[in-house]
């Protein structure tokens, strides 16, 4: 296991290196001068040249890239063109908001998807099964921003139960954090739950048709025991992949939802960086998202071996 983890970490380092190359080259194709945009009405030639020299933009592209890579290896992702603050500090400030939203949304989705998907598979063709499939199709088809707007109108505008936007840190006030995270997490969670429900149902149906399940039922084991001991664990393997992909995508930031609910996460940071042509912040955000994706994939591979002893990691 240790050798496997070390090898995957080395592979992840290569992937991150490729991400830095691709992002750096793509940003060179974006029209406009980021330093000129950052200065705005305060533009004057001397300040402009000084900022370009400070950012290293007066150097050849190859020199710019290797200078960025050298600094990134020490944790220095540069300085924001807009605020003048270190990019590392800005990105890490936004990470807790994204983590809290992503984890809450995934937990909310699993609380809906697992019971619904399991019951739907066990009672295939029943009213519950039809309702689950309608819910799944509805969640996938309806845009999340529309559900977010409807949630704000209902729970904030009409009922007045929840705040329409904003963010409070979990460590600052758990109660206010819960009230602020409820709407965006439910909006994202419903979409995630609809996707998970379909995968859980199909995975459960596939395992339920296996011979060993019919043998267990023929021995007189109760349905609950068969499902929990024999079916669910084997059905979890493909479901874990879907959960991991959904979690990784949410950790990358749900831009539309974060903008709609004024949630100061990685997605909102990326959106603001693109709008302001703040390239160092954009590079830092993309690099963090890529690292989170790779970390989640590594954890899933290790979890596979725990769920199914037949799976070996080498």
């Amino acid at each position: 296991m240790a050798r496997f983890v070390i090898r995957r970490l080395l592979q992840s380092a290569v992937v991150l290196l490729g991400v830095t190359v691709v992002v750096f080259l793509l940003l060179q194709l974006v029209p406009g001068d980021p330093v000129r945009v950052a200065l705005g009405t305060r533009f004057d030639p001397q300040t402009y040249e000084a900022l370009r020299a400070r950012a290293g933009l007066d150097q050849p592209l190859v020199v710019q890239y290797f200078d960025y890579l050298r600094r990134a290896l020490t944790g220095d992702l540069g300085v924001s063109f807009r605020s003048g603050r270190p990019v590392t500090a800005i990105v890490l400030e936004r990470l807790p908001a994204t983590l809290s939203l992503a984890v809450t949304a995934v937990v909310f989705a699993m609380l809906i998807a697992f019971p619904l998907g399991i019951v739907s598979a066990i009672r295939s063709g029943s009213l519950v099964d039809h309702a689950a499939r309608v819910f799944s199709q509805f969640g996938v088809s309806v845009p999340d921003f529309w559900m977010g707007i409807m949630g704000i109108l209902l729970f904030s505008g009409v009922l007045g139960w929840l705040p329409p936007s904003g963010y409070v840190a979990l460590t600052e006030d758990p109660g206010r954090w819960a009230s602020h995270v409820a709407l965006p997490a439910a909006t994202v969670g419903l979409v995630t739950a609809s996707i998970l429900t379909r995968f859980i149902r199909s995975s459960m149906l596939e395992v339920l048709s296996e011979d060993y399940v019919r043998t267990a039922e023929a021995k007189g084991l109760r349905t609950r025991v068969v499902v929990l001991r024999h079916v669910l664990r084997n059905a979890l393997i493909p479901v874990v992949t879907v959960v991991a992909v959904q979690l990784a995508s949410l950790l990358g930031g749900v831009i539309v939802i974060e903008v709609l609910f004024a949630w100061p996460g990685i997605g909102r940071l990326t959106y603001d960086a693109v709008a302001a042509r703040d390239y160092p912040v954009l590079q830092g955000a993309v690099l963090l998202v890529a690292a989170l994706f790779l970390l989640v994939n590594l954890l899933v591979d290790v979890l596979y071996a725990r769920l199914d002893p037949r799976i070996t990691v080498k």
Side-chain angles (χ1 to χ4, degrees), residues 148-159:
I149 293 173
M150 293 299 103
I152 292 173
L153 290 176
L154 176 61
F155 293 103
S156 298
V158 178
L159 300 176

Side-chain angles (χ1 to χ4, degrees), residues 206-228:
E206 182 178 352
V207 176
L208 283 169
S209 64
E210 295 290 340
D211 292 337
Y212 65 86
V213 176
R214 288 194 290 267
T215 301
E217 292 174 341
K219 289 182 177 180
L221 293 179
R222 289 180 296 178
T223 302
R224 181 173 61 86
V225 176
V226 173
V227 170
L228 295 180

Side-chain angles (χ1 to χ4, degrees), residues 120 125-126 128-138 197 201:
S120 176
S126 66
V128 175
D129 184 28
H130 290 301
R133 284 188 283 178
V134 169
F135 164 75
S136 178
Q137 191 64 37
F138 175 81
T197 300
R201 178 183 180 276

Side-chain angles (χ1 to χ4, degrees), residues 79-132:
V79 178
S80 169
F81 288 158
R82 185 169 58 174
S83 65
R85 297 180 58 214
V87 172
T88 304
I90 295 174
V91 172
L92 292 180
E93 282 178 2
R94 300 296 187 99
L95 185 58
T98 293
L99 284 174
S100 64
L101 176 59
V103 173
T104 305
V106 169
V107 170
F108 177 81
M110 289 192 296
L111 291 175
I112 296 175
F114 272 92
L116 194 58
I118 292 171
V119 174
S120 176
I122 295 173
R123 301 182 180 178
S124 180
S126 66
L127 183 61
V128 175
D129 184 28
H130 290 301

Side-chain angles (χ1 to χ4, degrees), residues 6 21 26 29 47 51 64 75 80 93 95 109 118 124 130 150-151 157 168 236 267 277-278 283 289 295 303 310:
I6 292 173
V21 173
L26 288 177
L29 301 178
T47 305
L51 285 178
Q64 291 183 39
S80 169
E93 282 178 2
L95 185 58
I118 292 171
S124 180
H130 290 301
M150 293 299 103
V168 176
L236 278 178
R277 291 187 175 86
D278 199 342
Q283 285 177 304
V289 171
L295 177 62
L303 185 59
R310 297 171 298 178

Side-chain angles (χ1 to χ4, degrees), residues 15-38:
V15 173
L16 287 177
L17 179 63
V19 170
T20 61
V21 173
V22 172
V23 174
F24 181 82
L25 293 178
L26 288 177
L27 288 178
Q28 306 308 313
L29 301 178
V30 178
D33 189 333
V35 176
R36 182 66 182 268
V37 173

Side-chain angles (χ1 to χ4, degrees), residues 142-222:
V142 176
D144 52 1
F145 71 85
W146 183 86
M147 285 196 288
I149 293 173
M150 293 299 103
I152 292 173
L153 290 176
L154 176 61
F155 293 103
S156 298
V158 178
L159 300 176
W161 292 351
L162 299 170
S165 62
Y167 169 73
V168 176
L170 175 61
T171 54
E172 179 181 333
D173 189 334
R176 291 182 60 200
W177 168 83
S179 65
H180 280 83
V181 79
L183 273 179
T187 302
V188 178
L190 284 174
V191 178
T192 305
S194 64
I195 297 172
L196 289 179
T197 300
R198 299 178 67 178
F199 276 92
I200 293 171
R201 178 183 180 276
S202 61
S203 184
M204 288 283 295
L205 287 174
E206 182 178 352
V207 176
L208 283 169
S209 64
E210 295 290 340
D211 292 337
Y212 65 86
V213 176
R214 288 194 290 267
T215 301
E217 292 174 341
K219 289 182 177 180
L221 293 179
R222 289 180 296 178

